[in-house]
Amino acid sequence: MIEERLVKECFEKQFGTDRCAIFTAPGRINLIGEHTDYNNGFVLPASIDKCITVAIRTNQTTTVKVYSMDYDESVIFDINGEKPAQQWACYIYGVVQEMKKRRAPVGGFNAVFGGDIPLGAGMSSSAALESVFGLALNDKFELWFSRRDLAQIGQMTEHNYVGVRCGIMDQFASLCGQAGKVIKLDCQSLEYEYFPFNPEGIKLVLIDTMVKHSLASSEYNVRRSQCEAGVAVVASHKKKIESLRDITMPLLNKYKDEMDPVVYKRCAFVINENQRLIEGCAALDKGNYKLFGKKMYATHEGLSKEYEVSCKELDFIVKIAKTHKDVLGARMMGGGFGGCVLSMVEDKAYDSYIDDVKQQYKKEFNIDPRVIDVVISDGAKKWLAKKEIAD
Ligand code: GLA
């Protein structure tokens, strides 16, 4: 995590005072339940020890001045004005607009932010950005949004200002995560429960393919539409069907002939993935991480063959994982088309697995993969600095 002190120092350099409040929000991993959130299904994410940290102070105007430490770039926009040109600033602008839509008395502010969530690696750096600004503005302008509201504000920022019709998993995990626990979130009711996830002698590690396919966000929206098309077919026969959550495999099969085969495949994946998550949680309850790992492999298979959001680089790493018997589970994580493979590895096998992946991956693609160890850590929070002064 970037040190809070560095962000504060940078704020002072930019704005000539260190009188600011500090907030931080993490990226996330997702253990199982992929592409289920926007289908009203279940997900099992956790917040991690890689964060975005913001130093912020209100400025009594309607102007927002933000400096990104990672891009070494400043942006100024008016909260009542046009969307800024820089993509990263659109996330902040979007959060402000979504708050205004909800009649929140949000005003101008000065801010600096930086972090250590690898960009574009599928660890939800954008959700962390929305969440950290959501939490900071909520606090500084006393808006009284709940964390659940803030997650929705972040999600709607993606829909309306970035163009990705994402689900709510990433923002929810960033805002509501707890150290050592995964969140079983029901994306239909937004009810959630925590499951302890601290297997002794087992590590979680991400291997970043370093591949970012430009198709990611357009294909994401296509997948969402395909799921909606499947739901529409079933709903034309059964009135109360609203999402794939309401459809079982026998029901889907009943109308299979009326569906495009690709649509059928997508829907079948989502229905089975929800089931896998429920079985995965039962395994966690019994401390059976081996069985949980098997579910992760099955999820990858489905994402690769049925949902078709994997790519050759991700498949390659998962194939290597399967040759190491002490890699209990591995799968691509997040939206897909690049990004990371999440693996659950026994400590004793960690070094040989990582060495093997590094070597073989380099040989196959001439790319060095990036290895990112992750620890499940707390969600977004305000830093209670000793010297904090209220605006
Ligand atoms: C991205 C989206 C999430 C979710 C995942 C796939 O991370 O932002 O809402 O849909 O992809 O599970």
Side-chain angles (χ1 to χ4, degrees):
M1 198 179 112
I2 184 166
E3 273 181 61
E4 156 236 2
R5 178 183 54 84
L6 293 177
V7 184
K8 206 169 178 151
E9 276 170 20
C10 182
F11 185 91
E12 187 169 9
K13 224 160 122 194
Q14 292 291 320
F15 300 110
T17 171
D18 72 345
R19 292 169 62 173
C20 56
I22 310 278
F23 297 82
T24 182
R28 61 102 189 90
I29 52 172
N30 183 27
L31 272 300
I32 202 164
E34 215 65 272
H35 287 274
T36 43
D37 59 354
Y38 54 84
N39 286 305
N40 277 358
F42 295 104
V43 289
L44 198 68
S47 45
I48 55 170
D49 57 337
K50 314 278 178 281
C51 301
I52 292 182
T53 301
V54 168
I56 189 166
R57 180 180 167 86
T58 56
N59 63 21
Q60 285 75 42
T61 70
T62 56
T63 304
V64 173
K65 297 181 186 172
V66 202
Y67 174 74
S68 158
M69 295 169 74
D70 301 314
Y71 290 104
D72 184 20
E73 192 174 32
S74 291
V75 166
I76 299 182
F77 63 84
D78 192 278
I79 61 165
N80 304 314
E82 295 289 301
K83 188 165 110 164
Q86 289 83 347
Q87 172 80 2
W88 63 263
C90 291
Y91 294 100
I92 304 164
Y93 175 84
V95 168
V96 172
Q97 301 313 312
E98 287 298 323
M99 287 180 159
K100 280 175 52 197
K101 267 189 210 164
R102 291 161 179 76
R103 300 186 183 289
V106 60
F109 54 89
N110 300 341
V112 156
F113 73 94
D116 62 353
I117 307 173
L119 301 176
M123 293 158 74
S124 297
S125 52
S126 57
L129 187 56
E130 292 144 12
S131 302
V132 78
F133 273 94
L135 194 70
L137 299 180
N138 201 35
D139 182 274
K140 297 318 290 174
F141 293 102
E142 297 186 10
L143 306 178
W144 301 103
F145 287 119
S146 66
R147 286 187 179 235
R148 189 188 290 196
D149 295 335
L150 293 177
Q152 280 167 335
I153 285 171
Q155 181 194 15
M156 286 306 124
T157 296
E158 300 268 354
H159 285 217
N160 299 329
Y161 302 92
V162 186
V164 180
R165 294 172 67 213
C166 66
I168 199 165
M169 167 171 74
D170 303 348
Q171 294 78 5
F172 203 96
S174 180
L175 284 154
C176 301
Q178 285 189 5
K181 291 176 187 159
V182 291
I183 313 169
K184 181 185 174 201
L185 171 65
D186 178 338
C187 298
Q188 188 167 45
S189 63
L190 292 188
E191 276 167 14
Y192 59 101
E193 58 180 309
Y194 294 99
F195 278 76
F197 192 94
N198 41 17
E200 239 175 69
I202 293 174
K203 272 197 182 58
L204 287 172
V205 60
L206 290 170
I207 301 169
D208 186 355
T209 57
M210 308 301 281
V211 173
K212 294 179 186 72
H213 285 277
S214 54
L215 281 179
S217 56
S218 57
E219 282 296 315
Y220 184 94
N221 290 345
V222 169
R223 293 300 174 282
R224 189 167 178 154
S225 304
Q226 288 167 332
C227 292
E228 286 164 0
V231 171
V233 170
V234 181
S236 69
H237 296 278
K238 294 216 161 251
K239 287 290 161 271
K240 287 203 175 122
I241 301 291
E242 285 176 1
S243 70
L244 284 176
R245 179 69 178 279
D246 307 322
I247 302 176
T248 57
M249 276 310 290
L251 188 57
L252 186 75
N253 286 333
K254 195 167 167 193
Y255 302 109
K256 181 175 180 182
D257 295 344
E258 294 176 36
M259 268 174 222
D260 179 306
V262 173
V263 165
Y264 172 82
K265 225 171 27 169
R266 306 293 191 243
C267 295
F269 165 78
V270 172
I271 295 167
N272 289 324
E273 180 70 352
N274 273 323
Q275 188 54 32
R276 260 191 296 274
L277 186 145
I278 290 164
E279 290 162 7
C281 287
L284 283 187
D285 257 343
K286 295 197 187 98
N288 190 344
Y289 289 93
K290 271 208 167 117
L291 181 57
F292 189 85
K294 286 195 178 135
K295 305 276 171 208
M296 289 173 73
Y297 279 127
T299 288
H300 184 81
E301 195 63 16
L303 287 166
S304 179
K305 306 269 160 48
E306 295 181 323
Y307 218 64
E308 296 178 283
V309 290
S310 186
C311 61
K312 58 182 190 309
E313 293 86 353
L314 290 164
D315 289 347
F316 186 80
I317 296 176
V318 173
K319 207 165 143 201
I320 298 175
K322 283 186 174 162
T323 66
H324 289 251
K325 78 172 184 2
D326 295 324
V327 179
L328 303 184
R331 66 176 197 81
M332 58 146 282
M333 193 187 72
F337 302 102
C340 291
V341 168
L342 174 66
S343 314
M344 201 165 74
V345 196
E346 298 219 9
D347 284 347
K348 59 177 188 283
Y350 181 86
D351 289 339
S352 62
Y353 171 52
I354 296 298
D355 288 348
D356 193 19
V357 171
K358 278 185 176 165
Q359 263 185 33
Q360 291 203 46
Y361 193 80
K362 173 85 181 178
K363 201 164 142 212
E364 184 77 10
F365 301 109
N366 199 24
I367 303 174
D368 288 312
R370 176 166 43 179
V371 176
I372 309 166
D373 293 307
V374 286
V375 177
I376 297 180
S377 305
D378 279 332
K381 60 178 179 233
K382 181 178 186 180
W383 276 87
L384 294 174
K386 285 175 214 103
K387 237 178 73 184
E388 191 188 315
I389 296 162
D391 277 301

